[in-house]
Amino acid sequence: MAAFPSVSAARTRPRPILLLVLAASVVLARGARAQLSAGFYSASCPTVHGAVRQVMSQAVLNDTRTGAAILRLFFHDCFVNGCDASLLLDDTATTPGEKSSGPNAGGSTFGFDVIDNIKTQVEAACPGIVSCADILALAARDSVNLLGGPSWAVPLGRRDATAPDPDGARTLPGPDLDLAALVSAFAAKGLTSRDLAALSGAHTVGMARCVQFRTHVYCDANVSPAFASQQRQLCPASGGDASLAPLDPLTPNEFDNGYYRNLMSGAGLLRSDQELFNNGAVDSLVRLYSANPAAFSADFAASMINLGNVSPLTGASGEIRLDCRKVNT
């Protein structure tokens, strides 16, 4: 997952024509979301939840990093044209995909084989019914829960994109963004600063590459000296770009609120992490989540639903892919 992390209080009065455009956008968004329902497959594929859970349970048991990887796939998919499984499409000779574009390149996203395995199981039980986008949404939820985090009812009914957007993948929020840029990136998806603060807690699990945090631990003033020294041992000033460090060194395999405690001590691994607690607009939320794990769990679950509601394809849009790696022919 990319780094997710003040909004200015001064706002200009929208012009009437802009109000009409915004109102139309809200109506369209609500219309799309209204077609999503937690019980969407109750009649057509009632076994889908069990199939996803079974595969994810084994995958996380085999390698706890898989949970963080699937969660990252969901984030990176939803932030590019909405949650439509476009990230899952392989490159072809004529159409580059999102897997090799921007922050997804170089093997930084993985876990596609796990989604393939789930899709195979689901197709055997309910052929042509369940979208890859919905499978990914369910797998992300189960990843969090299997690592000790909350669970939630996932709204379902998404359809799959018929083309990737590699250019869009290059605009994913990066690890060096400041708070204002992070807030802006989330707002562009209809997500709030509270969503930003809660969803960033996904960095309580997973790893980051040296190239992603080198500048922060060598150059930034808001990082704990002891933490910076520790990370420099893993990440040299030059070379070693692929060296890995846990985003939460204290409980790297547990989905808990340790991430926020790290931020309060200046031990956010990425610059975009520490920006959430840097005398800014979301400091209070970091304090809340650090002290109250139940509040974090509740807000994270709610924000994951909000993220999953970003521009879904529904109705007759898109398709139900038979193979998550390629469009139907």
Side-chain angles (χ1 to χ4, degrees):
M1 184 175 58
F4 292 107
S6 113
V7 182
S8 173
R11 296 184 179 178
T12 58
R13 186 180 300 276
R15 296 178 181 177
I17 189 170
L18 180 56
L19 284 173
L20 290 173
V21 171
L22 290 173
S25 298
V26 169
V27 169
L28 289 172
R30 287 176 178 169
R33 295 177 188 185
Q35 297 181 55
L36 299 182
S37 166
F40 189 84
Y41 299 111
S42 294
S44 60
C45 191
T47 60
V48 62
H49 296 272
V52 174
R53 184 76 176 195
Q54 181 181 25
V55 174
M56 285 307 308
S57 295
Q58 188 60 53
V60 171
L61 181 64
N62 292 342
D63 183 355
T64 54
R65 286 186 60 199
T66 301
I70 297 299
L71 189 54
R72 180 180 172 88
L73 292 185
F74 183 65
F75 274 74
H76 282 213
D77 182 51
C78 291
F79 254 76
V80 180
N81 296 333
C83 309
D84 60 3
S86 58
L87 173 59
L88 305 183
L89 291 167
D90 282 342
D91 293 7
T92 70
T94 56
T95 306
E98 297 172 25
K99 292 179 180 179
S100 58
S101 180
N104 299 326
S108 68
T109 50
F110 63 97
F112 299 104
D113 57 326
V114 177
I115 301 300
D116 292 340
N117 192 1
I118 297 172
K119 181 64 170 174
T120 298
Q121 301 295 325
V122 172
E123 282 296 307
C126 317
I129 299 296
V130 182
S131 68
C132 299
D134 278 345
I135 286 174
L136 183 55
L138 288 168
R141 186 270 312 273
D142 286 352
S143 294
V144 170
N145 187 235
L146 288 164
L147 292 173
S151 187
W152 58 93
V154 179
L156 301 168
R158 300 169 191 81
R159 290 170 65 84
D160 299 322
T162 55
D165 183 4
D167 291 335
R170 282 188 276 272
T171 67
L172 283 162
D176 289 325
L177 293 185
D178 62 19
L179 181 60
L182 290 165
V183 168
S184 178
F186 272 65
K189 304 300 177 183
L191 300 171
T192 67
S193 295
R194 196 176 192 95
D195 291 321
L196 163 63
L199 291 172
S200 295
H203 281 183
T204 188
V205 292
M207 311 282 281
R209 293 178 295 166
C210 168
V211 69
Q212 296 172 312
F213 62 86
R214 176 184 288 121
T215 300
H216 178 53
V217 299
Y218 279 91
C219 302
D220 291 346
N222 63 347
V223 59
S224 158
F227 178 74
S229 176
Q230 181 184 36
Q231 299 310 313
R232 289 171 187 169
Q233 296 177 34
L234 301 172
C235 179
S238 62
D241 285 1
S243 297
L244 296 173
L247 289 159
D248 175 2
L250 299 180
T251 54
N253 298 319
E254 296 178 25
F255 199 97
D256 57 20
N257 65 337
Y259 168 80
Y260 298 101
R261 295 194 297 273
N262 295 339
L263 298 186
M264 291 186 66
S265 64
L269 184 61
L270 306 178
R271 173 181 289 170
S272 54
D273 288 329
Q274 197 58 55
E275 278 290 302
L276 297 182
F277 193 75
N278 193 31
N279 299 312
V282 297
D283 280 18
S284 60
L285 288 171
V286 172
R287 292 190 182 95
L288 171 65
Y289 298 153
S290 174
N292 190 334
F296 164 54
S297 291
D299 277 7
F300 183 83
S303 292
M304 282 292 284
I305 292 173
N306 292 340
L307 178 63
N309 283 338
V310 173
S311 304
L313 296 174
T314 59
S317 300
E319 64 181 14
I320 303 298
R321 239 178 268 156
L322 302 180
D323 181 337
C324 292
R325 292 178 178 265
K326 60 184 181 181
V327 298
N328 296 339
T329 55

